[in-house]
Amino acid sequence: MRKDNTIPIKGNRYSVPLGTYQGPESYVKVLEDNDKYLIYDFESTAKLAEHKIIKTKGKLSKNRDHGRKKSDNIDKLIEKITLLFPDKKRADKFLSRIRKEKQRYIRDQLLVIEKALENKDPETITKALEYCIGNKLYSASDFRDVINFYDKEKIKSENDDILLVADNIALNEKDKAKLAAKPAVRDLDVYQKIFDS
């Protein structure tokens, strides 16, 4: 792969997304499929590009989308997801660390985190974030697993509280009347007369 994010194949060049080139050890896998080249990431096997095979020599096949700077979109996505956290400062650091460690798959990582945050309360989100940072877990799947664990714990705790409240619910008027009723008290002589007769 060349520094300009193109792949030389049989005298022509074919573009891949900007940022695919990560240094001299950047490799891709190219498959020929009828009249097309399919270009895949060497490690993850994610599809990077698809180009029609050029029959002449010295040409460049460039997908217009490959020249766009995608980091602007990633910045906006990180900003949007950061707002879903109660502690925005720590969330920004957490997401930035994930971006650094999972640079090639950052969009997928962010989308998994965004989905994991859906319908979660601030306390659960904060606990999950603290746990991940404290245990150096910088991946979307780890965050998703941790937040789901805390969410289940919260639901279980809420259900236990509901049962406790149900046990202590105020009695209705009929039950209160029964509870207030006092048994008739008789003198012991009455019972003694019954036994003697």
Side-chain angles (χ1 to χ4, degrees):
M1 184 187 310
R2 294 183 174 171
K3 289 181 182 178
D4 63 354
N5 291 291
T6 61
I7 313 296
I9 307 170
K10 296 181 183 177
N12 293 306
R13 293 179 300 132
Y14 298 86
S15 70
V16 289
L18 196 66
T20 303
Y21 179 81
Q22 299 281 315
E25 298 299 313
S26 299
Y27 295 101
V28 293
K29 190 188 313 184
V30 180
L31 300 176
E32 194 172 323
D33 180 29
N34 296 324
D35 64 340
K36 292 182 286 191
Y37 284 126
L38 305 176
I39 303 170
Y40 295 89
D41 180 83
F42 193 77
E43 290 175 18
S44 74
T45 67
K47 188 174 175 185
L48 298 171
E50 184 178 307
H51 291 277
K52 204 167 175 70
I53 295 174
I54 303 170
K55 302 293 183 201
T56 57
K57 300 253 190 264
K59 303 280 184 192
L60 167 66
S61 174
K62 183 167 183 154
N63 181 326
R64 278 184 286 157
D65 190 47
H66 290 168
R68 292 191 184 133
K69 192 173 179 188
K70 302 239 162 103
S71 65
D72 291 346
N73 294 338
I74 298 299
D75 290 341
K76 285 179 184 162
L77 188 55
I78 286 177
E79 193 176 307
K80 176 185 164 192
I81 294 170
T82 299
L83 295 174
L84 302 174
F85 286 84
D87 188 341
K88 287 150 190 47
K89 203 171 192 177
R90 283 180 71 78
D92 186 53
K93 286 180 182 177
F94 176 68
L95 296 174
S96 296
R97 180 71 180 267
I98 291 176
R99 184 179 194 173
K100 185 178 177 184
E101 292 191 12
K102 313 273 187 210
Q103 188 175 26
R104 193 170 284 186
Y105 316 106
I106 186 60
R107 178 176 301 284
D108 294 336
Q109 291 280 310
L110 293 171
L111 293 176
V112 167
I113 290 170
E114 185 178 34
K115 180 87 175 145
L117 289 166
E118 280 179 10
N119 304 316
K120 301 296 188 293
D121 68 284
E123 184 186 347
T124 301
I125 293 170
T126 300
K127 280 183 179 178
L129 180 63
E130 292 301 318
Y131 184 88
C132 287
I133 291 171
N135 291 282
K136 297 180 173 53
L137 301 175
Y138 295 103
S139 82
S141 58
D142 286 336
F143 179 79
R144 180 191 59 213
D145 293 345
V146 170
I147 200 166
N148 286 340
F149 171 81
Y150 281 123
D151 193 45
K152 283 178 187 158
E153 287 293 304
K154 183 177 185 304
I155 290 167
K156 182 179 177 293
S157 174
E158 285 173 354
N159 287 342
D160 290 348
D161 289 347
I162 288 168
L163 291 174
L164 190 61
V165 169
D167 288 343
N168 295 316
I169 287 178
L171 302 171
N172 64 34
E173 291 305 315
K174 198 173 179 182
D175 290 335
K176 283 182 185 174
K178 287 180 187 173
L179 195 58
K182 302 274 185 213
V185 179
R186 294 192 180 138
D187 192 61
L188 286 176
D189 291 340
V190 174
Y191 294 106
Q192 192 64 45
K193 285 180 186 173
I194 295 170
F195 285 123
D196 290 343
S197 41

